[in-house]
């Protein structure tokens, strides 16, 4: 038996507001649009909560129930994190925390989507590695600081890592 992960779906109250957030603000591309359910390239979807509850539970959604519960986040990456932060901070977006560095050296931003789901946007780890190497850290020190395997740090240093942004 094989079970393969395909997608995560966030239940949303206002599909149009959520589409504006993910498509216009975060630049996500629609892969499939079924009206009440929209799938994005990269493997996540948004689903109108009323439609989802009718399909799954055969009952209406509780209009008062909170959707985002501070226990799940969508993770995105951008090599242009400073530009992303400037753009986000000029919008009416609820911020979990502004741009900050994680203990492993990666800079990230966390915000809430219109329904309170946590959205994290971080810089790709190859960028973190290059930044530390440019500061004069050895590959070994970078591997220790970032928690990345030394082999990966060396590949990034040599420009041979396959996921360099």
């Amino acid at each position: 038996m094989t079970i393969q992960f395909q997608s995560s779906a966030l239940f949303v109250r206002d599909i149009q507001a959520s589409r504006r957030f993910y498509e216009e603000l975060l630049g996500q591309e629609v892969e499939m649009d079924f009206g009440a359910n929209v799938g994005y390239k990269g493997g996540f979807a948004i689903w109108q909560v009323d439609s989802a509850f009718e399909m799954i539970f055969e009952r209406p959604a509780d209009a008062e129930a909170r959707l985002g519960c501070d226990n799940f986040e969508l993770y995105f990456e951008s090599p242009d994190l400073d530009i992303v932060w400037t753009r986000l901070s000029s919008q009416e977006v609820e911020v979990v925390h502004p741009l900050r560095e994680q203990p492993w050296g990666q800079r990230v931003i966390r915000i809430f989507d219109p329904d309170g789901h946590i959205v994290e946007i971080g810089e790709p780890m190859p960028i973190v590695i290059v930044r530390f190497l440019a500061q004069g850290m050895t590959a070994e020190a970078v591997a220790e600081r970032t928690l990345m395997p030394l082999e990966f740090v060396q590949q990034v240093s040599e420009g041979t890592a396959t996921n360099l942004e």
Side-chain angles (χ1 to χ4, degrees), residues 39-92:
Y40 292 95
K41 294 180 180 177
F44 80 98
I46 56 175
W47 194 356
Q48 182 73 41
V49 69
D50 299 327
S51 174
F53 266 61
E54 287 295 337
M55 178 73 64
I56 296 168
F57 303 112
E58 297 180 340
R59 65 175 173 81
D62 179 0
E64 302 301 316
R66 183 166 175 235
L67 297 181
C69 295
D70 296 343
N71 60 6
F72 175 84
E73 75 174 14
L74 285 180
Y75 174 73
F76 298 88
E77 289 186 343
S78 174
D80 304 310
L81 202 57
D82 293 304
I83 295 169
V84 170
W85 175 242
T86 298
R87 181 172 183 198
L88 291 174
S89 60
S90 72
Q91 302 294 313
E92 291 185 19

Side-chain angles (χ1 to χ4, degrees), residues 105-143:
Q106 181 187 36
R107 297 177 329 127
V108 302
I109 301 161
R110 286 188 178 88
I111 57 176
F112 288 111
D113 81 356
D115 291 288
H117 300 103
I118 301 168
V119 176
E120 177 183 353
I121 307 166
E123 61 187 343
M125 287 308 293
I127 289 176
V128 177
I129 291 167
V130 168
R131 184 173 72 242
F132 286 153
L133 290 169
Q135 291 172 359
M137 293 175 71
T138 66
E140 291 78 9
V142 172

Side-chain angles (χ1 to χ4, degrees), residues 15-36:
I15 195 93
Q16 293 308 319
S18 292
R19 288 193 69 166
R20 283 189 299 277
F21 177 84
Y22 286 104
E23 294 167 31
E24 294 174 19
L25 190 58
L26 299 187
Q28 299 306 294
E29 294 181 42
V30 173
E31 188 167 54
M32 291 181 274
D33 182 351
F34 302 107

